[in-house]
Structures are given as C-alpha cells and as structure tokens.
Amino acid sequence: EFGKNSAILVGASALVILSLAIPLGVIAAVKRNSWIDQLIMGFAALGMGVPNFILALFLILIVGIELDLLPISGKGGIKHLILPVTVLSAEGVAVMLRLMRASMLEQLQQDYIRTLRAKGLSQRRVIWQHALRNALLPIISLSALQISALIGYTFVVEIIFRWPGISQLLITSTLDRDYPVALIITLLFTI
C-alpha cells in the first residue's frame, strides 16, 4: 500500500511535468523574445529558484489554510493529490521547460525546417510534426534522470503533506524501532 501511494505521487508528478513542460517550451521557443516567452521563462526561473519545502509550506498556508480550497494532508481523492503533485513537479516543469525551449530553438534554425517552409507546409505542421519530433530527444534522455529526482523529492513532500507513502513507513518504522524495515527502505532510497 505504501509503495503504491508513492508510485501514484511520482507517476502523477511525471505526467504533470511532461504535459506542461513540452507545450510551454514549444510556445516559448516559437514566441521567442515576446512577452509570452518572458512570462513562461519567468515562471520557469521561479520554479527552479524556490525550494520544494518552501513552496509546500507556502501552498499549505495560502491554498490550504487561508483560502481553504484544498486539503493539506492525508490521502483521499484527487483533491488530496493536487498540492503534493504541484510541489513535486514545480522544479521538474521548470527544468524540462527550459530544455525544451532550447532544443526547439535549435531545431527551428536547422536547414530542414527552412526546406519544409519553402515547400509550403504550414507553420503549425512544421513546428508540431517535424521540429517537435527532433526536439524531444533531449527531453527523453532527461526524463529518466527526472524520475530519479522525483523519487528523492518524494521523501520530503510525503512528510510535509502526511501522504501515506514509503517515507511515512520509514518514519513510522524508525519511531517504532523496527530497524529491519527502516534499513530496507533506506537501502531502496539509496539505490
């Protein structure tokens, strides 16, 4: 049960990262040096600059306590998943978005893009079918590293939001002096 809950948290965060970073990175590259690009890259800088635990505490205070919009702890429906996934995916979205933008800008300057435009293909088709396909290669490489980073960050997020995952099992087993379980979980986190 604990592993399943942690996997749900990591999987949802990975899905959010990819579904936000790729289109926003493409839009930022296509609208290079416009206010849209500056706004998107400003949010990316903010996502990379604010530590996860600070963002978590800020969201708990504002969204959970002051506005009382979302639950701040425990596991339940989708509402219980929103804050932890937001915190867990913020830095990943920022990193992937910046990489996607840089990769897309590189692809848009290639000769084959000029050839496709000269052939009369629409801008939308050139960007979303041809340039995006080649720009995704670095994103695929970074995705494996991002998943391992998510697993590491999950420890902090599960503790802050009292999410019943592997981190909670580690804390409980340590407090109950169940050292074999604590050692195995620590070994898993280390690997």
Side-chain angles (χ1 to χ4, degrees):
E1 180 70 24
F2 290 104
K4 178 183 166 189
N5 291 339
S6 292
I8 288 170
L9 194 58
V10 170
S13 298
L15 185 65
V16 166
I17 289 171
L18 292 174
S19 63
L20 286 178
I22 292 171
L24 288 176
V26 171
I27 291 168
V30 170
K31 304 287 186 181
R32 182 180 185 184
N33 295 330
S34 70
W35 67 271
I36 295 172
D37 179 30
Q38 291 175 356
L39 182 69
I40 291 172
M41 295 313 291
F43 279 121
L46 189 64
M48 289 179 67
V50 177
N52 287 347
F53 67 94
I54 298 292
L55 180 61
L57 295 175
F58 179 75
L59 288 176
I60 287 171
L61 180 65
I62 302 298
V63 177
I65 295 173
E66 291 294 324
L67 299 176
D68 196 28
L69 294 175
L70 295 170
I72 59 173
S73 67
K75 180 182 180 282
I78 296 291
K79 284 187 172 185
H80 286 84
L81 199 58
I82 293 173
L83 288 180
V85 166
T86 301
V87 170
L88 198 55
S89 61
E91 184 179 351
V93 168
V95 170
M96 291 281 237
L97 189 151
R98 290 172 59 97
L99 181 64
M100 185 69 218
R101 179 184 181 272
S103 180
M104 194 68 180
L105 284 174
E106 181 182 340
Q107 291 303 315
L108 290 175
Q109 294 173 357
Q110 298 295 322
D111 290 336
Y112 77 94
I113 296 294
R114 275 182 283 228
T115 304
L116 291 171
R117 287 181 178 149
K119 283 183 168 183
L121 266 68
S122 68
Q123 178 76 354
R124 170 174 272 165
R125 189 166 179 199
V126 168
I127 290 168
W128 293 102
Q129 273 190 346
H130 298 283
L132 178 62
R133 183 179 304 156
N134 292 326
L136 282 175
L137 294 174
I139 298 298
I140 293 168
S141 300
L142 182 65
S143 294
L145 295 172
Q146 198 65 42
I147 295 294
S148 65
L150 282 176
I151 292 170
Y153 291 146
T154 302
F155 184 81
V156 175
V157 171
E158 285 181 358
I159 298 300
I160 291 174
F161 289 103
R162 307 270 307 145
W163 184 264
I166 293 178
S167 311
Q168 287 293 336
L169 181 61
L170 175 63
I171 297 296
T172 304
S173 61
T174 303
L175 293 175
D176 291 345
R177 297 177 190 252
D178 189 1
Y179 296 124
V181 173
L183 287 172
I184 289 172
I185 293 171
T186 304
L187 181 65
L188 285 173
F189 269 118
T190 304
I191 290 171

